[in-house]
Every structure is written in structure tokens, then in C-alpha cells.
Amino acid sequence: MSRPTKHAPERGNARTRLLEAARDIIREKGFAATSVEDLCKAADVTKGAFFHHFASKEALGVAVAEFWAETTTAYFAAAPYHAPDDALARILAYVAFRKAIITGALKDFTCLVGTMAQEVHASAPDIRDACGRSIFGHTATLEADIETARRERGITADWSAESLARHMQAVLQGGFVLAKAGNDPVLARESLDHLERYIRHLFNAMEDDAHDENDPDRLRLRTDAP
Amino acid sequence: MSRPTKHAPERGNARTRLLEAARDIIREKGFAATSVEDLCKAADVTKGAFFHHFASKEALGVAVAEFWAETTTAYFAAAPYHAPDDALARILAYVAFRKAIITGALKDFTCLVGTMAQEVHASAPDIRDACGRSIFGHTATLEADIETARRERGITADWSAESLARHMQAVLQGGFVLAKAGNDPVLARESLDHLERYIRHLFNAMEDDAHDENDPDRLRLRTDAP
DNA sequence: GTTAACATACCATACGGTCGGTATGTGTCA
DNA sequence: TGACACATACCGACCGTATGGTATGTTAAC
């Protein structure tokens, strides 16, 4: 059906369509419960196409994790939370941004690589490692601002920028787990309020009004963070 | 093979053995990737026994979640962190306890119901709800101490005891996710250090030495928290 | 003798993966 | 410029096995 040629790929190529389908379906059903036929149906391709592009289902798993890393990196790089001049304000804007994009259905805001890592960590090390690279690659992008804020504010701390960045990610991931268990996105947002309060405490900024304007229009996007 | 009679169940009955096997294997491989044959082999029973005790694989899922809730409730009720007279000390002792039991292999300290909830939340609502009851039942046990500590310390807060208890659970769950993604338990403990610091900030107790003695011998247990 | 607690054999299907084939683009050399 | 070789992208039938589940039989306690 409507096989798009290389010069008229109106639907995008099969590989990309499979990756997008995998991102959406695995976020909802998990990796093991997603069959390659599920993916082929959703992407409207045949099994032949699937195994032409991916050597195995596991290889597809690695590829979606990398696909996720690429798309979310671009997404966060373009996000509005980098705007403030003050480093701490940028950090708080990040948290506010993450909170703001937690809306709608679970499958639209939860984290693909967190879900996959938890599921396949023991049985598919390659996928796990790809997920790890996505997650920790993202946390690393927060470290510079944390370090700058600490220096700017003259904070002598017994914690590293690295560990705080990872903690922020842990709160997000944990919020997603609770949101799924309780079937309510509020549970994820709730923890981000505590995270924001914690960060303000760390930087002696309990009073500051650092509410950043995350333009609602720019927040209506589909993918989410690693 | 060594069929244990009702009056000589030296290995425990088949149902319990299946639940224990399910707890251990699902924590490692996830629910979907665990076949009922895996479970039968590990529990040393036949398929007939499995479907005698559980109507379906999904019913087994609900049953392990409930089994987990029961065993962890007993485990935490008997844990040493309840000892301190001061409510805040008990809360900090809880965090220290949770940190202390994060040792060894991932499958020995991670949370069954967190893993399952994340995986099956959309495809198996019954299992998800059973997981939710386990998780939020556990968080509820922390609320009284939080409320007491707040009153004792005269803290007027814009957060509820309920939400803090849930946040503590979120940090734990998120720590597990990062530990799996990075294949390193340190990542889970690291976040608990931030959680401890946050709680001290909340209760203006940054200076207090509330290091509780969690007797190492009493910590050598196999199961973990919901 | 009724019932709970298993065991054994079996079934239908779903699954990951293979394979031979076709259509289309692409580089190259006379 | 055209023809040929080759590569890429995809199709769809097929295969062996694993899986969830069932039907029936057997043992032992009450």
C-alpha cells in the first residue's frame, strides 16, 4: 500500500515510523508486552521491513532508546527554561517546566527509557545501557547551571552538582512510578513541588519569586524527558 | 517428586512457593517476560498446580502484589526505625533504614510493586490497583510520624504529611529506576541522602544528630519495601 | 465418598525470526 | 547516453518454538 519511494517519503520512512510506534506503544505496554507485529501494524509496515531495519527486537529496543535520547535532547535544548540570566532561576524554571508538561494521559508524559530500563535491566544489558546513556546524558545537561548557581550564591555544600542533577531525575522517575500506580498525574507533579522546595532550601532562596513563565503554547509537545 | 502432604508441607505449600518465586523472578525480569513455566520450574511445581491456585497469570500478578503488601507490612512493622521517642528521629531513622537495606544485587532490594505497576499500569488495571494499594498503604504508615513531628516542632507548612510521605516513596522508586539504568545501587542511596537533607531542612533540623542505630544484624533481610 | 491439592498430557495460538522475491534507486563505464 | 551491476527498501508466506490455558487423572486427608 502506498509504498513511498525514496524521493517521495510522504509518511516518513519505515524505520522512523517504527521507532515512533515503538516509543508510543512501549511507553504504554512495556517492552516485553509489545510484539513486533504490534509495531508493524502501528507503523503500517510488514515484518520484512521490520527485520530489514532492525536485526532483532532487542536491536529495536536499543534503537528507540537512542532515538529517544536524540529527540529529547533537541526538545529540551529548545525549551524555554534556559532563558533566565540567573543560574538558580534556570534550575527552578527547569523544574517548573517539567511540572508543566505533566498533563494529559500517562503515555504522553512518562519516560520511555525509565520504563524500559526498569523492565529489561537484567535481561537485556544493551537496552539498559542505551537507556542509561539517555538518562544520565540528560542529567549531565543540568550540572553546569547547578555548579554556577552554587558559586554565584557562595554555597559550600556536601553534595555534588552531579548528585543533585541525578536526584532531580530520580524525583521525576519516582513521580512517574507513583502516577502510574495511582493512575493520577497529580502524584508526579506533587513530588516536583517538594523538589522545588528542596532546591530553594539548598540555595537559601526560600523567599525568591523565581516563577518562570513557561509559555503554555510552547509546552504543548508530545515527547518527554529521558 | 517429594509431594508434601497437607500435614507435612516441609517446603511450604505450592501456592506460597509460587508467590515467592514470582516475587523474585518478576523483580528481575518483569511481569510480561516471566512465563508461568518459569515460575513452575522455580517453585518446583507443575502447571496443573499453578492453575489450580491461580485462575490466570494476571490473577497471579494480583496475588503477588497482595503477598508483597502483607510481607513488607510485617517487615517494616518489625523494623528498628520505630524505636526513637522523637517523631522526627523516627522519620530520619526510616530514611536511614531504607538506605541501609539497599545493598547487594538489584533484585534483592528493588520494589516488586513499583516495577509491576510501571509495566502493567495500562494493560492490567487489576494488578496496577493491587500495586497501588501496596505502595500507598505503605506511605500511609509514615503520615502519623510526619504529622506529629510537625506539631512538635511547630512547623507551619504548605505541604501535607500525606504528600511528604508520598514524596519519600517517589524518591525511593526513582532511586531504584536510576540504580537499574546505571546498574549501580549507589545511585539509589545517593538520592536518599538528598531526601534526608530535605527533611532536615523542612523541620529546621540541619544541625541535629539523629543518626539512628540500625543494628546491621537486623538489616540482613531479603525482602524490601512496597 | 467427597473434596482439595496436586500431576500429566495436550491444545491453539502468538511470537520472534527466516527466506525468497520484487520494485526502485545509483554508480559506472563504454 | 544508455545499459548493466549492484544496493537499498520493502513485501508476505512460512517455520519452529514457547506460551497461556484446559481436560482429565491421581492421591490423600477429612
Side-chain angles (χ1 to χ4, degrees):
Chain A
M1 53 193 72
S2 85
R3 171 121 155 257
T5 67
K6 209 174 182 181
H7 287 166
E10 70 279 356
R11 298 181 305 167
N13 58 28
R15 187 187 145 89
T16 302
R17 262 155 41 223
L18 280 167
L19 289 174
E20 287 168 350
R23 175 195 62 199
D24 297 338
I25 300 180
I26 294 174
R27 271 209 280 187
E28 208 171 342
K29 309 207 304 178
F31 181 76
T34 299
S35 70
V36 343
E37 267 196 20
D38 286 342
L39 299 174
C40 292
K41 241 170 241 172
D44 195 23
V45 302
T46 59
K47 262 188 174 179
F50 183 98
F51 285 101
H52 170 72
H53 288 289
F54 307 102
S56 64
K57 191 189 172 188
E58 187 170 335
L60 177 274
V62 174
V64 245
E66 285 163 356
F67 178 68
W68 180 262
E70 288 161 24
T71 52
T72 58
T73 295
Y75 173 68
F76 284 111
Y81 66 83
H82 302 286
D85 290 330
D86 182 58
L88 177 57
R90 287 196 295 276
I91 298 167
L92 292 169
Y94 170 79
V95 176
F97 180 72
R98 296 306 305 259
K99 191 180 158 190
I101 58 179
I102 297 177
T103 46
L106 281 159
K107 69 176 171 74
D108 293 327
F109 66 80
T110 52
C111 177
L112 169 74
V113 290
T115 305
M116 277 209 299
Q118 176 133 26
E119 195 182 338
V120 307
H121 74 278
S123 46
D126 288 353
I127 300 179
R128 178 200 63 200
D129 291 342
C131 293
R133 284 193 296 275
S134 177
I135 290 176
F136 298 112
H138 177 68
T139 65
T141 66
L142 302 168
E143 291 173 18
D145 277 346
I146 294 172
E147 196 58 57
T148 304
R150 201 160 71 168
R151 232 175 292 125
E152 278 177 4
R153 310 240 159 186
I155 307 284
T156 53
D158 53 343
W159 45 268
S160 68
E162 202 185 354
S163 84
L164 179 58
R166 286 196 291 242
H167 175 63
M168 292 167 69
Q169 181 65 211
V171 173
L172 280 159
Q173 295 290 346
F176 294 153
V177 172
L178 292 215
K180 286 174 183 169
N183 201 29
D184 186 355
V186 165
L187 294 162
R189 289 196 293 268
E190 186 179 59
S191 263
L192 289 181
D193 289 335
H194 285 284
L195 178 61
E196 182 198 338
R197 194 178 295 108
Y198 175 51
I199 294 171
R200 288 178 184 275
H201 270 295
L202 282 182
F203 290 94
N204 302 317
M206 286 310 290
E207 68 298 332
D208 296 20
D209 178 27
H211 289 298
D212 190 65
E213 304 297 317
N214 286 308
D215 181 344
D217 289 323
R218 300 188 62 179
L219 301 181
R220 301 285 164 200
L221 294 170
R222 286 259 262 355
T223 54
D224 193 53
Chain B
M1 55 194 75
S2 85
R3 172 122 153 256
T5 68
K6 207 175 182 181
H7 286 166
E10 71 279 356
R11 298 180 307 167
N13 58 27
R15 187 187 145 89
T16 302
R17 264 158 36 224
L18 280 167
L19 289 173
E20 286 167 350
R23 175 196 62 200
D24 297 338
I25 300 180
I26 295 174
R27 272 208 281 187
E28 206 171 342
K29 308 206 303 179
F31 180 76
T34 299
S35 71
V36 343
E37 267 197 18
D38 287 342
L39 298 174
C40 291
K41 241 170 239 171
D44 195 23
V45 301
T46 60
K47 261 189 177 175
F50 183 98
F51 285 100
H52 171 72
H53 288 289
F54 306 103
S56 64
K57 191 190 174 187
E58 188 169 335
L60 178 273
V62 174
V64 246
E66 286 163 354
F67 178 68
W68 180 263
E70 288 160 25
T71 53
T72 57
T73 295
Y75 173 68
F76 284 112
Y81 65 84
H82 302 285
D85 291 329
D86 183 58
L88 176 58
R90 285 196 296 275
I91 298 167
L92 292 169
Y94 170 79
V95 176
F97 179 72
R98 295 306 305 258
K99 191 180 158 190
I101 58 178
I102 297 176
T103 46
L106 281 160
K107 70 177 170 74
D108 293 326
F109 65 81
T110 53
C111 178
L112 169 74
V113 290
T115 306
M116 277 210 296
Q118 178 133 28
E119 193 182 340
V120 306
H121 74 278
S123 46
D126 288 352
I127 299 178
R128 178 201 64 200
D129 291 342
C131 292
R133 285 194 296 275
S134 177
I135 290 176
F136 298 112
H138 178 68
T139 65
T141 66
L142 302 169
E143 291 174 18
D145 277 346
I146 295 172
E147 197 57 58
T148 303
R150 201 161 68 170
R151 232 176 291 127
E152 278 177 4
R153 311 239 158 187
I155 308 284
T156 53
D158 54 342
W159 45 268
S160 68
E162 203 185 354
S163 85
L164 179 56
R166 285 196 291 244
H167 175 63
M168 291 167 69
Q169 182 64 210
V171 172
L172 279 159
Q173 295 290 346
F176 294 152
V177 172
L178 292 215
K180 284 174 184 169
N183 200 29
D184 186 355
V186 164
L187 294 163
R189 290 197 291 270
E190 186 180 60
S191 263
L192 289 181
D193 289 335
H194 285 284
L195 178 61
E196 182 198 338
R197 194 177 294 107
Y198 175 51
I199 293 171
R200 287 177 183 277
H201 270 295
L202 283 183
F203 289 94
N204 302 315
M206 285 311 289
E207 68 298 331
D208 296 20
D209 178 27
H211 289 300
D212 191 65
E213 304 296 317
N214 286 309
D215 181 344
D217 290 322
R218 301 187 63 180
L219 301 181
R220 300 286 164 199
L221 295 171
R222 287 258 263 353
T223 54
D224 194 50

